[in-house]
Amino acid sequence: KSEQFNWDDYLKETESIAAPLHCFRQSRIPPTNDFKVGMKLEAHDPRNVTSVCIATVIGITGARLRLRLDGSDNKNDFWRLVDSSDIQPIGTCEKKGGMLQPPLGFQMNASSWPMFLLRTLNGAEMAPAAFFKKEPPKPVPNCFKVGMKLEAIDRKNPYLICPATIGDVKGDEVFVTFDGWRGAFDYWCRCDSRDIFPVGWCSLTGDALQPPGNNVSITKSSAKIQSSPSKVTRRSMQSPQKSAPVPAQRGRKPGRGKPPGQSAV
Ligand code: MLZ
């Protein structure tokens, strides 16, 4: 049975430090997740953020909800923290004088939306207002430093939270690099993004933290230097900036480190 990923050991082995809590737009103590599968709420459509739609909780993962917009297909599920400002109790939109919109890609004729809305809300279990938590304030200024470790959402596989390293910092933005994945999943985001979390977040929320990838940034020939499996593991755990330059990506095993744009699941 392979060893479980452990941040304390990993930080030691990679000789790196965890990004401080105050760098993140996350609460020090993660919010409790009281939602239940099947509950309905209002959510901004991720593909059309100005419209507020009805969403159903499809799954619960740590402090996050897996959501599906009512009237949409099952290919566009998205994940939100229970303290996200993108979600609110049913009735909020109307109270503010707004109108609930059909999701982008509404599966029926647009003219059937008013009736669809009535039906989907009729007898629905609405998530109580107390389940929605206040979004934490924005941290200012950007205090991330290159090399700091964190946990980050893999935006190509948004149900996954993975060990990552700050690869670059520019103004209010940080470059999130995923450990052991040769850059295939890396992205720039604002330092106050809700997609990045301090080290230890998943263990506090009960969300599953993925282990680092095992794509080593070394050539085939140098691989024979590795004698024991534990050393190979340690090598693969190094953060990108500590690794040797990435060789030309030829003759590699398929299925690893796919180029950006492809969804690699
Ligand atoms: N199934 C995918 C998962 C990649 C996840 C990477 N996260 C940084 C693969 O193995 O390519």
Side-chain angles (χ1 to χ4, degrees):
K1 191 185 155 205
S2 68
E3 275 172 62
Q4 276 259 288
F5 176 74
N6 176 292
W7 266 120
D8 288 332
D9 297 343
Y10 188 63
L11 290 176
K12 273 187 207 118
E13 297 196 49
T14 56
E15 293 173 46
S16 44
I17 63 157
L21 292 177
H22 64 263
C23 295
F24 296 88
R25 188 176 199 175
Q26 304 293 353
S27 55
R28 197 172 49 82
I29 299 156
T32 51
N33 192 344
D34 301 312
F35 287 82
K36 301 279 171 289
V37 168
M39 286 181 166
K40 291 193 192 293
L41 46 90
E42 292 180 3
H44 285 264
D45 184 343
R47 296 192 287 169
N48 188 18
V49 290
T50 53
S51 56
V52 179
C53 304
I54 296 295
T56 302
V57 177
I58 296 299
I60 309 279
T61 172
R64 298 186 298 158
L65 307 170
R66 176 178 178 166
L67 300 171
R68 187 173 299 166
L69 298 180
D70 289 26
S72 172
D73 55 47
N74 58 4
K75 303 284 190 296
N76 291 285
D77 290 356
F78 56 104
W79 284 258
R80 289 293 176 269
L81 288 159
V82 300
D83 61 1
S84 165
S85 56
D86 291 342
I87 58 169
Q88 57 201 30
I90 284 173
T92 311
C93 181
E94 193 180 32
K95 228 181 279 169
K96 290 181 179 167
M99 281 235 293
L100 288 168
Q101 301 295 324
L104 200 85
F106 180 52
Q107 286 177 313
M108 275 158 276
N109 195 304
S111 63
S112 61
W113 170 247
M115 190 52 82
F116 177 90
L117 185 60
L118 282 178
R119 290 218 176 114
T120 202
L121 290 176
N122 189 259
E125 188 182 2
M126 302 184 199
F131 289 6
F132 298 81
K133 305 288 150 65
K134 210 175 127 66
E135 186 161 70
K138 287 186 182 186
V140 272
N142 183 355
C143 68
F144 288 101
K145 299 273 176 286
V146 170
M148 285 176 169
K149 297 284 184 195
L150 67 157
E151 298 179 6
I153 287 181
D154 171 352
R155 288 184 169 174
K156 288 182 187 165
N157 306 283
Y159 45 92
L160 298 178
I161 302 183
C162 314
T165 307
I166 300 294
D168 201 353
V169 181
K170 230 175 221 142
D172 283 343
E173 304 229 322
V174 292
F175 190 55
V176 176
T177 68
F178 288 92
D179 291 27
W181 290 98
R182 291 174 174 250
F185 301 91
D186 301 355
Y187 57 82
W188 282 95
C189 68
R190 291 182 50 87
C191 63
D192 58 12
S193 167
R194 303 306 316 280
D195 289 353
I196 55 176
F197 308 95
V199 161
W201 178 266
C202 284
S203 88
L204 289 175
T205 59
D207 218 334
L209 179 68
Q210 299 302 117
N214 47 25
N215 287 297
V216 237
S217 297
I218 49 168
T219 55
K220 266 258 168 71
S221 54
S222 66
K224 64 174 177 281
I225 302 165
Q226 308 296 335
S227 48
S228 71
S230 67
K231 275 185 189 158
V232 173
T233 308
R234 190 165 308 136
R235 189 60 178 262
S236 71
M237 282 159 66
Q238 286 185 349
S239 53
Q241 48 279 108
K242 285 192 174 182
S243 314
V246 181
Q249 307 204 341
R250 248 180 269 119
R252 295 181 304 119
K253 268 192 272 172
R256 291 290 185 193
K258 293 190 188 76
Q262 270 172 263
S263 65
V265 184

